[in-house]
Amino acid sequence: MAEAAGHAFASQMPGPPWVGQSIPRVEDAALLSGRGRFIDDLGVRPGTLHAAILRSPHAHADIVAIESSAAKRAPGVFAVLDGEDVKALTASLVVGVKAPVECWPIAVGRVRYVGEPVVIVVATDRYLAEDAADLVEVQYRMRPAVVDPLEALSPDAPVLHHGFNGNVASDRTFRYGDPEQAFASAVHRISLDIRYPRNSCTPIETYGVVAEYDPSDDAYDVLANFQGPFSIHAVLSRALKVPGNRLRLRTPPDSGGSFGIKQGVFPYIVLVAAAARAAGRPVKWIEDRLEHLAASVSATNRATTLSAAVADDGRILALDWDQVEDCGAHLRAPEPATLYRMHGNLTGAYDIRHLAVRNRVVVTNKTPTGLNRGFGGPQVYFALERLVQRIAVELGLDPLEIIRRNLIPADGFPYRTISGALLDSGNYQGAIERGVDEGGLAELKSRRDAARAQGRLYGIGYTAVVEPSVSNMGYITTVLTPAERRKAGPKNGAQATATVAIDPVGSVTVHVASVPQGQGHRTVLSQVVADVFGLTPADIRVNTEMDTAKDAWSIASGNYASRFAPAVAGTAKLAAGRLAERMARVAASQLNTEIDDIAFAGGSVGSKRNPDNKISFSRVAALSHWSPGALPDGIGQTIRETVFWSPPELTAPDEEDHINSSLCHGFIFDFCGVEVDRTTLQTRIDRYVTMHDCGTILHPAMVDGQIRGGFAQAIGAALYEEYAYGSDGSFLTGTFADYLLPTTAEIPDPLILHMQTPSPFTPLGSKGVGEGNCMSTPVCIANAVADALGLKDVELPLVPAKLAQIVRGAESPPPKGRAIEEVAKRSGERRLRGEGEAVVRAPAERVWAMLLDPETLQAVIPGCDNLQKVSDTHFRAEVTIGVGPVKGRYRADVKLSDLDPPHAVTLGGSAEGALGFGGGEGRITLVPAENGGTAIRYVYEAAIGGKVASIGGRLLDGAARVIIGQFFAALARKAGGDAATSRRSWLARVRRLFGGQV
């Protein structure tokens, strides 16, 4: 009844409501003037220490020994903790399935991905902590790695965790309807094999944690820029071995973006909190960009085989999904949620009544996965919408017509999918017709026809997707069998929390258990509550900081699954409505009228029939503070109202594994025209149209902003971004030089269209928006490229090199050197090559002698700290080398072979350090030059792996030339000769001869 009354008072506002207007964002003034307060801006307690993390350079290896005594003696160091130290202070993190597997925030006994924490060092400042981390010596025994999810299924694949069945953490089969009969009777069976790559959202602000342990209370106080607290609070308190009421989690006022990724900070909360306990002081850790790319969470990559039973007219009768999900090295909560979030939506926007599903979850030697914008949607819709396009091609029909023939009927809502989702509202046919008309599809087809007549490669792609929001936290339990669920007990719902409070002078404050990550919480909530109370948004103060020790929250609280507008803002309206109902009774008593005559408007509470009969809002609101005895009997206080709202539609999975994965479902229809350059195979988006139905729109400008943000990230996923790994698990895209992000120059301006079918399940009628283009845009562009090039199979990202391999075939491999083959296999084929020349004023015999002299070698090897002679042709050295933003110490082993004194020698060796490993060889020849001098010519080839391999090919090639050049320049100076004269390669000389045209 209170909810209904709240709705009634809001609807009686005279004049246009604030909800639905694009008022200026409250958040922008501080953010645009540099006054945002992010975690690294906030002051810390005096005596706070700083942490640095030593990470594994290997994807899979046993930790044989860790020598940290030098680090512990280093200046300013308070604590050095390895896996065993952390294990003694904590408990294993929750693993996402029932299995005898442990998961720690730091490597214990074995490393399983490049970048996994091995040692955490705590010192008085970050610089000293980093220096001390360089002094830690770790001995590894290499294990073979597996990075491909299908190879991980093989019985001979390296096993990561012995508690799983090989590398399979979960294997479940589902059947809905009668898919076998549908396939048996269908005229056509059309299938596609899909590989969806790893990618990630990359917020400007990386992870940050400030943790403190109070030994007198056995309690932790943690400030972190996470998205929680939701279920992570229980995971953390369990891992830190304290009751939940002894773990206080707080968030900073502002966050530099998240897109889901900030959820993945939770293992570092455990790690830094354990370090604070060991050090006896508060500890702060801010992740750097290299750490974030290599070792924070990413989206899952997925291998899918999807088949459709299809009638002659293109109607899809049944689907058969076979999905293999790669969750990386550890199955951390909430994984395998990415695979199951869309389980109720596997038929998309289509009326398909038969479904077979097999879901397998595997672990590989890659970083663990977690929340990422779209969360499971991109992987599902890339397969489904690519298949819809293939059905059209193989049947010789228009792809848009195939979409139309399979849509859920407009009069079929609420619609229950065969796997259990309850689609709340929509008119998909109407949205498509409006998109086609307002988006100018006819004109786009004319442009395509004209381009093709000129011999250009032009294609049009379509996609129609359902965008789920407000996740049912019970969906993840679908990974369990019905028997396992019965034993564990039901889990379901999507509880949201909001508190509305009124102070003694009648000012209104709103607090929600949802940490903003750019959605405009303060602006939209002020609009919602202002409408209920007849105030202006400027009258409402919104607090979005989170403190689990003081604020109202639940295990489902947090900012995820596009739940802000439909759930959080709606709950704020309910809380305000309950207060408004009680205030209306107070006002009715004072104004001598009936409650149904009361309206809130213009800062007053008064009679609808007699506008002069009114009282100020602040006077009515403050009565509970100043004169509670004057309140009418039975009214209760009007000071504060907290609402916990969970929609009844979100039930637990049933005995047949039906699950309503999400509460509400928007609809997106996209189409685009793209042109692929015949020469470069670069994809250019000519026009992009995206039609959205997200229910009631609360703030149109912010909705469009969310759509544009999702669209920009989707362009990256479609055309640029991929987490690339070598065959040994080396991470190859660890800087923005190789993990390419689109800039504003690469993002076309989409045409955004809207229609609104309010949700009957949410207080404001709104649905989620902002994640949807991450689901729809990559496959829409892929369909357009497939149309342009006439391809059956396309893989993301659609970089020119990948398209060239599909269209023109693979390039022949370059010639291979002898000594680096094994290292190249280990390093994922990250190779460096070059040649050059240096001239010295010394005879060849003297230069030859210098090459065999330890003192000379130590003097001329760049960054050599010391060198030991093992034999006349074998040396060991410690070297400090900087490559781009990375600097580290390496243990090098150098050998001379194929000696032809004093004319030629092969210099070969290997190096290993905290940042990676490598090896290679170079042939050095000494040739007589003018005036009795010697020309030192060299050709080198090297292969590297581990973290340094992620620096980026551009930086590495340049760094290799510089380091090798420094070596020979120093050798020339030592011999009393000239500075080196460099020849990068014979090709460079040829280019110069022809004016740079070759």
Side-chain angles (χ1 to χ4, degrees), residues 38-79:
F38 303 93
I39 189 166
D40 204 25
D41 298 324
L42 304 180
V44 293
R45 284 186 52 188
T48 296
L49 305 174
H50 297 263
I53 297 172
L54 179 68
R55 298 176 180 274
S56 168
H58 303 294
H60 202 190
D62 294 315
I63 299 174
V64 177
I66 299 176
E67 176 50 61
S68 57
S69 56
K72 292 176 179 176
R73 294 193 303 268
V77 172
F78 272 69

Side-chain angles (χ1 to χ4, degrees), residues 3 6 47 170-171 203 212 217 280 295 315 354 364 388 395 495 596 606 642 676 857 861 865 871 897-898 927 961:
E3 283 81 352
S170 173
D171 186 348
E212 182 175 0
D217 204 25
R315 280 279 297 137
H354 305 284
T364 62
V388 169
L395 298 186
Q495 196 154 244
D596 59 5
T642 297
V676 181
L857 284 176
I861 293 175
D865 298 319
S871 70
S897 61
D898 299 333
V927 180
R961 286 195 294 270

Side-chain angles (χ1 to χ4, degrees), residues 425-462:
S425 65
N427 181 347
Y428 300 167
Q429 291 82 357
I432 287 179
E433 294 316 309
R434 285 185 55 183
V436 165
D437 293 341
E438 297 174 29
L441 178 60
E443 193 269 337
L444 187 64
K445 287 182 175 180
S446 298
R447 289 164 73 166
R448 177 194 61 188
D449 296 342
R452 289 182 172 180
Q454 296 169 7
R456 290 151 55 198
L457 302 173
Y458 195 106
I460 293 178
Y462 307 90

Side-chain angles (χ1 to χ4, degrees), residues 516-712:
Q517 309 285 347
Q519 296 93 336
H521 282 41
R522 292 172 60 197
T523 302
V524 173
L525 290 171
S526 70
Q527 292 176 273
V528 170
V529 175
D531 277 348
V532 175
F533 289 138
L535 304 173
T536 69
D539 297 323
I540 313 298
R541 174 83 174 183
V542 178
N543 179 0
T544 56
E545 296 177 59
M546 188 69 218
D547 185 336
T548 60
K550 298 188 297 181
D551 299 326
W553 62 281
S554 83
I555 198 169
S557 299
N559 183 3
Y560 58 97
S562 293
R563 66 201 309 272
F564 169 64
V568 177
T571 305
K573 178 179 181 177
L574 297 179
R578 290 185 184 180
L579 278 180
E581 181 190 21
R582 295 199 290 272
M583 290 175 62
R585 295 182 182 277
V586 173
S589 173
Q590 295 192 351
L591 299 174
N592 195 27
T593 187
E594 300 298 324
I595 187 172
D596 59 5
D597 182 39
I598 294 296
F600 292 74
S604 298
V605 187
S607 167
K608 300 175 194 174
R609 295 187 289 269
N610 179 9
D612 293 331
N613 185 23
K614 62 183 179 181
I615 189 172
S616 70
F617 174 88
S618 60
R619 183 169 179 178
V620 177
L623 194 62
S624 281
H625 287 283
W626 295 106
S627 184
L631 293 172
D633 292 341
I635 296 295
Q637 54 82 25
T638 59
I639 295 175
R640 175 185 295 261
E641 183 68 35
T642 297
V643 169
F644 291 84
W645 175 77
S646 187
E649 292 81 10
L650 296 183
T651 55
D654 66 17
E655 289 295 304
E656 287 74 42
D657 293 312
H658 296 97
I659 177 64
N660 185 22
S661 315
S662 300
L663 174 65
C664 42
H665 300 81
F667 178 71
I668 304 172
F669 169 62
D670 289 358
F671 65 88
C672 67
V674 307
E675 183 172 359
V676 181
D677 187 279
R678 279 193 178 275
T679 303
T680 65
L681 293 175
Q682 185 171 5
T683 300
R684 179 184 66 86
I685 300 172
D686 185 35
R687 179 188 290 177
Y688 199 100
V689 178
T690 181
M691 161 62 79
H692 285 254
D693 180 357
C694 61
T696 303
I697 294 176
L698 306 184
H699 190 293
M702 275 198 272
V703 165
D704 279 9
Q706 286 290 315
I707 291 170
R708 288 179 186 276
F711 177 70

Side-chain angles (χ1 to χ4, degrees), residues 49 70-80 121-124 128-129 131-133 135:
L49 305 174
K72 292 176 179 176
R73 294 193 303 268
V77 172
F78 272 69
V80 179
V121 179
V122 178
T124 51
L128 293 176
D131 289 344
L135 300 176

